[in-house]
Structure formats: C-alpha cells, structure tokens
Amino acid sequence: MNTRAILAIARKDLKVAIQNKGVVLPIIILPLVLFVILPWIMAYASSFTETTGASNDIGELLARMPAGLLHELSGFAPNQQLIVFSLVYMLAPMFLIMPLMVSSVLAADSFAGEKERKTLEALLYTPITDQELFAAKLLGSWTTALAVTLLSFIVYAVMVNAAGWQSIGRIFFPNWMWIALVVWVTPAVAGLGLVVMVFASARAQGFQDAYQTGGLVVLPVIALMVGQVSGVMYFSLSVVMIVGLAIWLIDAVLLWFASKSFRRSQLMTKF
Amino acid sequence: MVSPVIQTSSLTRHFGEIKAVDQLTLEVQAGEIFGFLGHNGAGKTTTVRLLNGVIEATSGEARVLGLNPQTQGSALRARTGVLTETPSLDERLTARDNLSIYADLYNFPRADVSARVHFLLTEFELAERADEKVAGYSKGMKQRLALARALLHKPEVLFLDEPTSGLDPVAARHVNDLVEHLARREGCTVFLCTHNLVEAQKLCDRVAVMEHGHLVALGTPSDLTRQYVKRLDVDLEVDPTQIELVLQIVQGLPQLVSGPPKQKKDMLTLTLSGRKAIPELLHILVQKGLHVYRLAPQEANLEEVYFALHGNTQ
C-alpha cells in the first residue's frame, strides 16, 4: 500500500470538501442543534413539567418503558428521571445521525463531487491502484466523521451535565452504554454512511443528487429513535453492542461489494 | 535493435455495440512526436486510456515501455504523463496544492517536491499566482497548469489529448514549443491526440489517422500527402502576354490538368493529376515557345490527406 498517496488523496478530499458550504453547514449546524441547544431545551422542559404538574403525563410515559430502563432509572429521584431519560436514553439513537451525516456528506463530495468537478480522470492516470484509491476515498471521510463525532460527544457530555446540574447535582453522563455507543457503534455507522454513498454516487450526477439519494440511510436510525420513544426497545449496553455488531456486519458485506465495483475501468464510465 | 516505446497489436475496445477502437496495430519509437488524428469519437481518448491501463481492452495486446497496461498499469503510469482533454484540476485548491498533491501520488522524492513545483510554476509562467485558487485562472492558465502536472514526475512518455484545444494562438504556440522541446531536447516520447491538422503537420514525426475506431492511415506527414493526395496544385508564371495562350493549351491537356485554371494577376494556379504531370506539362509549354518563369508545386498538407481519407471512408 502506498500510504503517502493514500494520505495525499484523503487530505486533498478534505481540503476540497471544507470549501463546499453544502458540506460544512450541516456539519456545524447539526451538532449545534442536537448537542448544544437541545440538551438545554430538554432539561428546561423537564423542570417545567415539574412546576406545571405535567409530571403525571411523564410518569405515564416512563411507565410504558421497558423494565430494564426503569431499573436503570431507579437510582434517580422521580424529578430527575425525566432528565436522565431524555438526555441519556432518548437522544442516544439521535447521536448516531452525526457520524452518518458527516461521513455521507463527505463521501458524497469525495465521490459524486469529484465526478461533478471532472477531477477524477487525472487521478486515474496516476500510479495509485484501485484499492489504494478506494481506501484513500474512504479514509478521509471516515476519520473526519469519527473526529467530528468524538468532538460532538465531548461537547454533548459537557452540555448534558451542565444542563442537568441544577436538578441532579452531579456528573451523570456518560454511562457505559454511551461509551459503547461512541467507541463501538459510531465507527460502524460512519462506515455505513460511506459505503451507501459510494453506491449512491455511482448513479448520481453530482454532490446534491448523491446526498439526497444516500440520505435514505438515515431511516434505520429514525426507526431506532421511534422504537426508543415508543417503548418497544431502549438503548441498553447489550442492545448497543448488538446493534453495533449488526452494523459492522452490514458494513463488511457492503464494503466487499463496493470494493468489487470500484475499478478504474468502471469509474471512467460510472463516476 | 531498440524496441518501440508503444506497441499495439489488434488492440480492440468495444462499448456494447460500439467499436471505440478496432484492431489497432501501431508502433511508436522513442523520442518521437506521434500524432494521433481523428474526429471527435474516432477513438483517440479511448486509445490513451487503453495504453495507460485505465480501461481494459476487449481483445488484442498493448505494450508501453515494455509493460502491459492491463497487468502492470500502476508501474506503467508511474512512467507516463497524461494531459486529459479537460484540465481535470481541483479548482478549489491553489496551483501549488494541485502540483504538490500529485507529487505525493507519483512518490516524487519529498526533499525535491518544493523545488520541482516551483520550477514548473516558473517554467509555465504561473509562479506569480501560484497560491491563488485555480477557479480564478483563465483557460490557458489551467491548461498550462495541467501540462505542468503531467510533467511533474518527468515522464518518459507523454500523452497529450487535445493540448491546445480552446487556447488562444499565443498560448497554443507556447504549448507546441514546449512539446517540441520535450521531444527534441529531453528525449520524451509524445503521443499527441489532436484534430488540429496544422499543429500535427508542424510538430509530428509520424501521424496515424483514426476513423470510427479504425486506423486508416499511418506514416510521416509527407508520406501521407504523397500517398493520399493524388491531385497537385502548381503555380505557373509565364510572360504576361502569353497567359491567354497558356489557357488555350492547358484546356487541351485534360490528362494532365484537371479543372479550370485559376488566374490571379499574372499568375495561374493549375490543378495537375499528380507529380508526374509536372515535367510533362513543362516540356509541352516550352515546346510551344512559352516563356516559363516559374512552375512551383504547392506542398499538400495533412488537411488534404485528412479530407481525402475522410472522403474514402464515408
């Protein structure tokens, strides 16, 4: 493997991507909304329900939750449970949108964007092999998605503890489930966003086209969120580990197919 | 005996029903400027892609620098440089970035990258705007930068796909001078795809003419003009008082002179049936007592060859 060439392409893709507003804006706005503004709104809403007597409704909501979740919340006072439930458990599936969105938006710029800008042909005339080019294209988007996600997690941890401090009075975030989510699941989800975008880019005419088509990959994450809120399931440590394993397996299969189709001769016509 | 730098044997590439390149057999020698002529869609770009191992051949064989493009593509591309038809530059990056990235891709010695990039930017008159984004460059500047990128790793074979397309005459001349310098002074073999016949005539040692994926002619420009342009225009200057007489005489020589003569002041232009008609015509005119001051054949050019071939293949 020519690591120098791989790193050069990964660096180039990032350098080009960060000059595209369509790439940068969602990467800034999404974590700002989800991980800075939302924790404060939810913490405020939780304390608001206490003062307005809406706690009965919340009690009904929590009562519908699986027994495992109720057990994990049992260590908190009733007025703290809604804050912990909303900030620790309800937002956990939503956190997965972050690596998915970052990796897919970067991959769309890297693959479909390259086609749109007509810059791929010159790359194909260099000594880099098909495997190296594929690795380079994935590496830049994947590592950036992980870095942005990790940063978002740190920001979120600070925001959650700060927002809940008045009610809980101690650091309650992250728990082991969240650490597993960040370490085990987010790299897999970032990989999923990437490989889906590789397929979407092969058929798309440009960045926007690919991003819209590949955006459908967010649907499973939304299904997880609905499942969590409706009480069908909740993100326990074991669920997170299983979800992560399933996504890694899907990644491996999709990656195998994507690498097979990522050949120079096909890129010339498809990309 | 030195083996050719580029060698193809019945090289063929189909895209579905379309035969983009069909049974192409040719050789290009080291240091040669080889013109590859043809209309859009004649198979020029596909051939360049095949010769660099970027696409696979349907059948046939190719060797470039002794390497098989299909199985040794990476090693081969490290020794060739390609200027694609569109500059294919990252316009959001600066010229310096564009070159530096490709230096890494070609594994150019790290310690020498900065100096090489600076040299090329200076050589191509881009140094003053080296740190500006390429998006703001003119078409000529982009083409020069793309050419600099193709030369970055000092390739042994340079493939140029329409290098002067869309350039103004000054920029086109600059590119042509550079191509000539690379081949004549530095021994680089140049495979020049073009439909600019004047450029090909001026630069190329030999040319191949492609038509719908087929090789229809191959040789030096002068060989091809001799082979394919049967008719020959000559300028005839005689005593001005004898012009009417000349017109009468040539009208009676349909086996030598085809079509009506064109007259411009005291000069006549005659279209002869070929080079062999020249001494015969001269002999007849002198025999008739005419004072012939000048009888000069106009050299046929590749343009005439091209249209002669184009007519043949229609």
Side-chain angles (χ1 to χ4, degrees):
Chain A
M1 278 278 182
N2 182 351
T3 49
R4 185 179 170 197
I6 291 172
L7 291 175
I9 292 178
R11 271 200 310 272
K12 179 207 74 131
D13 280 356
L14 277 181
K15 220 168 179 176
V16 170
I18 58 172
Q19 294 179 58
N20 181 355
K21 282 181 190 164
V23 171
V24 175
L25 285 179
I27 292 177
I28 292 171
I29 291 170
L30 188 73
L32 190 70
V33 172
L34 285 185
F35 309 128
V36 177
I37 298 171
L38 201 58
W40 289 96
I41 291 173
M42 294 188 95
Y44 176 73
S46 300
S47 58
F48 186 70
T49 54
E50 290 167 24
T51 56
T52 57
S55 51
N56 285 342
D57 299 336
I58 303 304
E60 283 174 23
L61 172 71
L62 291 176
R64 288 206 309 268
M65 291 297 126
L69 176 59
L70 294 177
H71 175 72
E72 292 193 30
L73 293 175
S74 62
F76 294 90
N79 67 325
Q80 297 171 341
Q81 284 182 352
L82 181 60
I83 293 175
V84 176
F85 170 70
S86 56
L87 295 181
V88 178
Y89 293 95
M90 217 164 81
L91 281 179
M94 211 181 278
F95 184 77
L96 295 179
I97 290 177
M98 196 63 209
L100 200 59
M101 188 274 295
V102 177
S103 65
S104 55
V105 75
L106 288 172
D109 192 71
S110 172
F111 289 90
E114 191 110 63
K115 175 160 73 172
E116 197 172 22
R117 297 187 293 272
K118 295 182 170 50
T119 50
L120 188 67
E121 190 173 5
L123 268 184
L124 298 181
Y125 281 116
T126 66
I128 194 163
T129 64
D130 297 353
Q131 293 81 5
E132 287 165 350
L133 184 57
F134 188 57
K137 289 273 168 198
L138 295 184
L139 184 74
S141 307
W142 192 66
T143 51
T144 308
L146 293 191
V148 173
T149 305
L150 187 63
L151 188 66
S152 301
F153 171 69
I154 293 167
V155 170
Y156 185 62
V158 172
M159 290 298 140
V160 164
N161 286 305
W165 189 264
Q166 197 177 6
S167 298
I168 298 172
R170 64 181 169 88
I171 291 173
F172 63 99
F173 184 92
N175 58 11
W176 285 110
M177 179 276 285
W178 264 89
I179 290 170
L181 191 74
V182 172
V183 174
W184 174 240
V185 184
T186 55
V189 169
L192 185 66
L194 279 181
V195 283
V196 167
M197 203 49 75
V198 172
F199 288 114
S201 297
R203 285 154 191 84
Q205 292 306 309
F207 166 75
Q208 288 295 349
D209 193 11
Y211 189 49
Q212 280 164 13
T213 310
L216 295 174
V217 75
V218 83
L219 290 177
V221 173
I222 290 170
L224 288 174
M225 283 166 57
V226 172
Q228 173 109 333
V229 173
S230 63
V232 174
M233 46 80 75
Y234 85 103
F235 265 35
S236 64
L237 181 59
S238 53
V239 166
V240 164
M241 295 306 283
I242 291 166
V243 167
L245 182 65
I247 298 172
W248 277 118
L249 290 174
I250 294 168
D251 281 357
V253 173
L254 291 179
L255 202 60
W256 186 82
F257 280 112
S259 66
K260 289 286 162 199
S261 63
F262 198 86
R263 298 215 320 266
R264 262 184 170 70
S265 51
Q266 295 191 2
L267 293 175
M268 269 296 179
T269 49
K270 278 188 182 177
F271 282 88
Chain B
M1 186 182 160
V2 181
S3 42
V5 167
I6 299 173
Q7 196 169 21
T8 70
S9 172
S10 303
L11 189 66
T12 300
R13 170 69 196 212
H14 296 174
F15 292 106
E17 295 293 305
I18 299 165
K19 292 177 179 178
V21 176
D22 194 20
Q23 299 287 322
L24 177 65
T25 299
L26 56 79
E27 290 184 352
V28 179
Q29 306 301 326
E32 201 174 11
I33 301 179
F34 187 84
F36 205 55
L37 314 182
H39 290 319
N40 291 333
K44 304 188 299 290
T45 302
T46 302
T47 303
V48 172
R49 289 174 177 175
L50 286 167
L51 294 177
N52 282 277
V54 170
I55 57 173
E56 291 154 5
T58 307
S59 63
E61 286 180 11
R63 291 261 158 190
V64 180
L65 295 164
L67 301 169
N68 182 337
Q70 288 194 26
T71 57
Q72 297 167 294
S74 182
L76 168 62
R77 289 189 296 272
R79 296 168 63 187
T80 62
V82 181
L83 174 71
T84 51
E85 195 173 354
T86 50
S88 199
L89 297 161
D90 273 305
E91 300 206 353
R92 293 182 198 158
L93 302 180
T94 65
R96 196 184 303 280
D97 282 343
N98 267 283
L99 294 183
S100 300
I101 287 162
Y102 275 75
D104 285 338
L105 296 181
Y106 282 104
N107 214 12
F108 199 82
R110 283 178 200 275
D112 302 335
V113 170
S114 179
R116 178 69 178 158
V117 167
H118 180 73
F119 169 78
L120 286 168
L121 289 170
T122 308
E123 181 76 11
F124 286 89
E125 296 170 12
L126 296 166
E128 281 184 16
R129 297 180 63 183
D131 297 309
E132 288 178 28
K133 284 181 189 166
V134 172
Y137 279 21
S138 69
K139 190 166 185 180
M141 290 170 77
K142 287 178 188 172
Q143 193 74 345
R144 293 207 303 271
L145 179 59
L147 189 54
R149 185 184 59 192
L151 295 170
L152 182 76
H153 56 298
K154 302 177 181 173
E156 294 163 64
V157 184
L158 185 61
F159 292 89
L160 303 173
D161 199 351
E162 306 289 357
T164 55
S165 169
L167 295 187
D168 63 61
V170 176
R173 187 170 183 172
H174 183 89
V175 169
N176 287 338
D177 288 348
L178 186 94
V179 169
E180 210 155 17
H181 172 85
L182 284 166
R184 310 294 177 228
R185 302 275 175 85
E186 299 187 16
C188 181
T189 306
V190 178
F191 192 92
L192 174 69
C193 297
T194 184
H195 46 228
N196 185 332
L197 302 168
V198 177
E199 184 177 272
Q201 172 113 30
K202 180 174 173 283
L203 284 175
C204 299
D205 300 308
R206 286 192 308 139
V207 297
V209 183
M210 296 287 284
E211 184 77 34
H212 302 305
H214 291 277
L215 178 67
V216 290
L218 176 66
T220 63
S222 52
D223 281 347
L224 293 184
T225 51
R226 269 197 292 276
Q227 192 178 343
Y228 291 98
V229 182
K230 300 297 181 195
R231 298 194 321 177
L232 177 69
D233 284 349
V234 292
D235 294 328
L236 174 65
E237 188 183 354
V238 293
D239 189 311
T241 59
Q242 296 178 316
I243 283 186
E244 284 306 314
L245 183 58
V246 172
L247 291 173
Q248 281 175 22
I249 292 169
V250 297
Q251 275 173 12
L253 299 170
Q255 74 282 14
L256 299 180
V257 181
S258 54
K262 293 169 207 147
Q263 187 178 349
K264 196 173 181 184
K265 293 185 181 171
D266 296 339
M267 186 79 79
L268 289 171
T269 300
L270 308 176
T271 301
L272 305 187
S273 55
R275 296 180 82 82
K276 286 179 183 171
I278 296 173
E280 217 172 318
L281 176 69
L282 184 62
H283 178 74
I284 292 167
L285 295 176
V286 172
Q287 213 175 33
K288 299 272 184 187
L290 293 166
H291 299 136
V292 178
Y293 298 149
R294 195 158 77 98
L295 182 62
Q298 293 176 358
E299 282 305 320
N301 56 38
L302 273 180
E303 195 167 41
E304 289 170 74
V305 173
Y306 191 81
F307 287 114
L309 284 165
H310 187 61
N312 290 343
T313 54
Q314 289 301 303

